[in-house]
Amino acid sequence: MSYAEDSMPHAEGSVSHNAEGSMSKSVIQTEDRQNGNGLRRPSEPLGSQVQSSFAEARQRRKIAELESKLVVLESGRVVKERQSNYYLAQGRGLRRIVALFDSIEDLVNENDKRYDDDSDEDATIDQDHLHTGYCILTRTLPWFLKTSSDIDHDDYMRMLKALRQGADGARGDDTAKLKTLISDWVNHELKPNPPVDSDDKNYRRFISDACGRVKAGIRDRSEGHIVTDLSFPAFVYDKYTANADNLEEGLFKGKILLQGYKAIFTSPSSAKDVEGDGDGADIIANNRRAKNYTSLDCICRLSITSWRSIDGDFDYIQFWRSIVDFFEKPPGREAQRRVNKLLEWWTRKVFGRSRREDLSNTVKANMSVNALARQRAQLDDAGFDSN
């Protein structure tokens, strides 16, 4: 009995101890569950708080650093895209007024060779064409030389690529623009039966009598219908005919040629009216290669292929150079005078009549702008006299 009584407090104590331990464990688990539900955490040791704050601050610094790098990369990408778009836009005129077939690299290399050799006495005709093209390039893009010198090689190559893409893209756009227009002009001018189909490449060329008439060589069609770059197509002549005794008469005055120029350099709608004439500035005289470009583009639209250096018996490059030499290398002063007169004719035809020089000084003095200035001065003088 005494043994049992002595052991009872021990058992009760054990039960009490176990109960208290369970209660404490239950409280801790409850607090842990509360922390998992977003309630306040139990207090942590000071060292753990410092370490946690340090890790959090370090992560924030890394995030800020990465964000700043991202901003720099993004701004650099935007700048490069802006530069690329600028070069693309600048390159669109290169095929039209600088060089139709020669690459910018070839033009630059030829100029570098001449600079290194310090002599051009032994230059070939092809090399002279390249050097002339380089001179026109630097006049057309005055920033090109300085930019090429300031940027590194990779940026230089990217610039050339963008210029080339812009040039080729513009040439493709011009060719596509003339595809339908020239067919319409031929149908309207010559009224062939059946009409020329702009979507049928095989129907263009000599298969169509109308296309054959305007594209055939003036003197060589009778020789087995062979048309090469040594014969001017009929459409470059006024009314598609030439004077065998004076082949310069009417040359480069063809209506389709004029319409093609206006469609490319002004607007397609302006090509409907090519009858305008009058005085004008020598705009085309300063951009004579643009007309040469139009001649080739018109031939391509009347041909089975487009923008290839050789199409059958016709060498586009040699034909292009023949036209360039006609304007840029006349044999003498009289020939140069005729070239200047032809360019003046083109300016008048493209930009229409200008009647400004027909106005007398009396008429100009009585026009509203000058009349208003005179009236205001008179009113001001009258007010001053009255005071």
Side-chain angles (χ1 to χ4, degrees):
M1 245 348 247
S2 62
Y3 176 81
E5 289 178 356
D6 290 338
S7 62
M8 286 296 292
H10 178 76
E12 290 176 358
S14 298
V15 172
S16 174
H17 176 76
N18 292 337
E20 289 177 358
S22 299
M23 290 176 64
S24 300
K25 188 174 183 180
S26 176
V27 170
I28 293 174
Q29 291 175 350
T30 301
E31 289 183 353
D32 288 342
R33 286 195 299 271
Q34 288 175 343
N35 293 334
N37 292 332
L39 301 178
R40 70 177 181 84
R41 286 181 175 273
S43 59
E44 297 180 357
L46 181 61
S48 299
Q49 291 180 349
V50 172
Q51 186 175 5
S52 177
S53 300
F54 174 78
E56 185 176 353
R58 184 181 179 186
Q59 290 176 352
R60 288 178 178 175
R61 288 196 301 270
K62 286 186 175 181
I63 291 173
E65 182 180 358
L66 291 174
E67 287 178 345
S68 62
K69 289 181 178 180
L70 182 61
V71 170
V72 172
L73 291 174
E74 185 68 19
S75 61
R77 184 182 64 83
V78 171
V79 170
K80 287 185 177 180
E81 285 185 356
R82 188 181 299 115
Q83 288 179 342
S84 179
N85 292 335
Y86 175 77
Y87 294 145
L88 283 171
Q90 292 287 295
R92 289 186 66 83
L94 296 183
R95 298 296 182 206
R96 297 169 176 169
I97 58 178
V98 177
L100 181 56
F101 293 101
D102 300 320
S103 67
I104 301 177
E105 293 91 329
D106 291 341
L107 303 181
V108 174
N109 290 337
E110 178 59 30
N111 182 74
D112 292 343
K113 289 179 182 178
R114 298 202 177 199
Y115 181 81
D116 294 335
D117 296 341
D118 197 23
S119 174
D120 56 359
E121 295 180 357
D122 299 330
T124 64
I125 296 176
D126 292 343
Q127 290 172 336
D128 285 340
H129 280 116
L130 289 173
H131 187 254
T132 302
Y134 176 82
C135 295
I136 297 176
L137 171 67
T138 54
R139 290 201 303 266
T140 305
L141 304 179
W143 52 266
F144 179 82
L145 184 59
K146 185 178 186 306
T147 302
S148 301
S149 304
D150 293 343
I151 59 180
D152 59 32
H153 180 72
D154 291 339
D155 289 337
Y156 174 73
M157 296 306 296
R158 279 192 290 268
M159 178 186 70
L160 293 185
K161 180 180 179 181
L163 289 172
R164 182 169 58 252
Q165 289 177 339
D168 294 341
R171 187 174 64 181
D173 293 342
D174 294 337
T175 305
K177 183 188 299 182
L178 292 181
K179 177 181 178 181
T180 301
L181 291 175
I182 289 184
S183 299
D184 293 341
W185 298 335
V186 171
N187 289 332
H188 182 268
E189 184 78 8
L190 303 178
K191 298 178 174 58
N193 186 20
V196 176
D197 185 359
S198 62
D199 294 324
D200 188 355
K201 291 184 178 181
N202 293 316
Y203 190 73
R204 298 195 294 271
R205 250 186 165 181
F206 295 111
I207 295 177
S208 167
D209 290 339
C211 289
R213 176 183 170 187
V214 298
K215 188 172 182 273
I218 289 297
R219 292 182 296 173
D220 301 327
R221 193 179 181 191
S222 60
E223 302 295 332
H225 299 275
I226 298 176
V227 178
T228 71
D229 52 274
L230 296 176
S231 55
F232 284 111
F235 76 85
V236 302
Y237 277 93
D238 185 22
K239 299 179 181 179
Y240 315 117
T241 57
N243 181 359
D245 296 326
N246 183 8
L247 290 172
E248 193 171 348
E249 180 183 345
L251 182 61
F252 300 122
K253 290 187 176 182
K255 184 176 181 181
I256 287 181
L257 185 61
L258 187 59
Q259 287 176 305
Y261 184 98
K262 295 188 73 172
I264 292 174
F265 291 96
T266 55
S267 70
S269 60
S270 68
K272 297 177 182 179
D273 180 17
V274 292
E275 304 302 329
D277 199 359
D279 296 325
D282 56 348
I283 298 175
I284 296 180
N286 295 326
N287 296 281
R288 60 189 66 187
R289 290 198 172 198
K291 183 170 56 53
N292 309 342
Y293 169 86
T294 308
S295 301
L296 269 292
D297 210 347
C298 289
I299 292 176
C300 288
R301 289 300 87 209
L302 292 166
S303 179
I304 193 170
T305 56
S306 60
W307 291 122
R308 294 175 57 183
S309 59
I310 298 178
D311 180 13
D313 299 314
F314 201 98
D315 189 330
Y316 286 101
I317 297 179
Q318 292 303 320
F319 185 71
W320 152 263
R321 290 176 176 173
S322 297
I323 301 177
V324 169
D325 289 344
F326 176 86
F327 287 96
E328 298 183 357
K329 295 182 179 181
R333 284 186 290 183
E334 281 301 311
Q336 182 65 65
R337 184 186 62 80
R338 292 193 299 271
V339 165
N340 294 338
K341 189 175 180 180
L342 176 59
L343 293 172
E344 292 172 0
W345 179 89
W346 265 83
T347 296
R348 293 194 303 267
K349 281 293 184 179
V350 172
F351 297 100
R353 178 177 294 276
S354 174
R355 302 177 182 271
R356 185 181 184 89
E357 299 301 325
D358 296 337
L359 299 175
S360 65
N361 292 332
T362 303
V363 173
K364 292 178 182 178
N366 291 325
M367 297 183 81
S368 58
V369 173
N370 292 327
L372 174 61
R374 186 169 58 253
Q375 291 171 5
R376 294 181 70 189
Q378 290 173 353
L379 290 174
D380 190 67
D381 291 342
F384 180 79
D385 293 339
S386 63
N387 294 332

